[in-house]
Each structure stands twice: as C-alpha cells, then as structure tokens.
Amino acid sequence: GPFTIPTGKGIIKGLIIRMNALTLKSDKDTHSPYLGYSRYSDAEILAHACNVVAAFGITVSVNASAPLATVVLPWIVIPGGVLQLLCGSISFSRGKTLESCAFILYGLIWIIWGLTRYGGLYGSTRGFGISVGIICFLLFNCFVVIGTFFLNAAWFAFSLSFQLILISFLLDAVNSNPFGYDIG
C-alpha cells in the first residue's frame, strides 16, 4: 500500500481513550448557547413578591406627621427593585427571556421611582422630563404586555396592572389628577 508519513493526528486522543481513568466528553458544540440551566432555583415567586411589597410600599404617602414613613419607605421600594433585577438575571439564566425583561424593567422602575419620589427629586413641581421618562417606561411595558398576552393569563394581568400603575404615575406627573391619586 501507499506509504503515509505519520503526522501525530489522533495520537493523543488514542492514548486517552486507552486509559481507563480518563474519559472524553462527547463532541458537543461548545459555541452554541446553553440556555435553560441555572444553578439557582426559579426566582419568579420572589420577584412577584418584591413587586407586591414595592407596590404596597409606594402607596404610603409622605406625611409630615409620620416622619418615619419617609425613612422606611425608600428602604422598601428600592431594595424591592434591586431584588427584581437579581430575579430578572436569574430568569434570564434559566432561559426565560420575556419574564427576565419584565422583571428587569419593573425593577428599574421601582428603583428610579423610589429614588426620585422619596429622594427629594420629585417635589411639588412636576415637569416635562419626568413625563418623558414615564412615557418611555410605558412604551417598554407595552412590549411586555403584548408578549405576555401570548405567554399566559396571569402574566398578562400582571403586566397590564403595571401598565395602569404607570399611567397613574404619568397622570400625577402632568398634574392631571388630585394629589394622592397615584396612592389610591
């Protein structure tokens, strides 16, 4: 037969195959993403709970007769938003992209709204900038509402109720409702 020059191709693989202590992994495409796996458990319930706690926390009005309300409230709303960001990251690592986008969006809304409203930046003067920011969140949430319409009814109701919360924030920002309407 024809004489071939040994190039060493397959020698290492052949040696490792002959060793009983070592095993090779199967030929798996290492460049394709492997979504749907996370070493963390599902964090949707925690994110929903954080959203409910933040929603109830935001309903407490800033009252001069209760000075602790202004101290306690940002520490309810803002950490709830941070935990939602964390839960959104965990949902993304588990392959739930729509849910993770919703949790990250709602977490950002709670963080920004909590810092703005209770950090002294959202006083008696409401302006165009706040309205534009809320309209941007409304548009992003419209995409979430449309996506959750095809996901399931619970997510659709959740995102639609959050759309109503954002509309009440917008009405308050343009002074179209009486003071405290967003709390009701």
Side-chain angles (χ1 to χ4, degrees):
F3 180 72
T4 59
I5 300 174
T7 59
K9 182 177 178 182
I11 291 178
I12 301 294
K13 185 175 180 181
L15 285 173
I16 293 176
I17 288 174
R18 284 187 228 125
M19 296 176 72
N20 291 334
L22 301 174
T23 58
L24 290 177
K25 291 183 179 180
S26 64
D27 292 334
K28 193 165 70 167
D29 187 13
T30 57
H31 298 293
S32 66
Y34 184 60
L35 294 177
Y37 171 76
S38 175
R39 63 182 179 161
Y40 304 107
S41 65
D42 198 11
E44 281 189 31
I45 295 174
L46 177 63
H48 286 297
C50 291
N51 195 23
V52 169
V53 169
F56 282 127
I58 205 92
T59 60
V60 177
S61 64
V62 178
N63 190 356
S65 64
L68 286 181
T70 58
V71 174
V72 172
L73 193 58
W75 300 112
I76 296 171
V77 176
I78 296 168
V82 171
L83 282 175
Q84 279 197 330
L85 289 176
L86 178 69
C87 294
S89 300
I90 292 172
S91 292
F92 184 77
S93 71
R94 295 183 60 82
K96 298 179 176 183
T97 54
L98 178 65
E99 294 92 336
S100 68
C101 288
F103 289 142
I104 290 171
L105 177 70
Y106 299 156
L108 286 174
I109 290 171
W110 286 128
I111 291 170
I112 292 171
W113 189 255
L115 286 173
T116 303
R117 183 168 179 186
Y118 298 102
L121 301 173
Y122 187 75
S124 60
T125 59
R126 281 129 170 106
F128 180 73
I130 292 174
S131 300
V132 169
I134 294 172
I135 289 171
C136 290
F137 279 126
L138 275 168
L139 290 176
F140 283 129
N141 197 43
C142 282
F143 292 120
V144 172
V145 169
I146 291 168
T148 57
F149 179 75
F150 299 105
L151 186 63
N152 64 25
W155 264 101
F156 179 69
F158 176 66
S159 63
L160 194 62
S161 65
F162 208 87
Q163 188 80 354
L164 295 174
I165 290 172
L166 286 173
I167 290 170
S168 72
F169 289 167
L170 179 65
L171 289 174
D172 186 49
V174 296
N175 284 327
S176 293
N177 55 355
F179 179 73
Y181 175 78
D182 59 336
I183 297 168

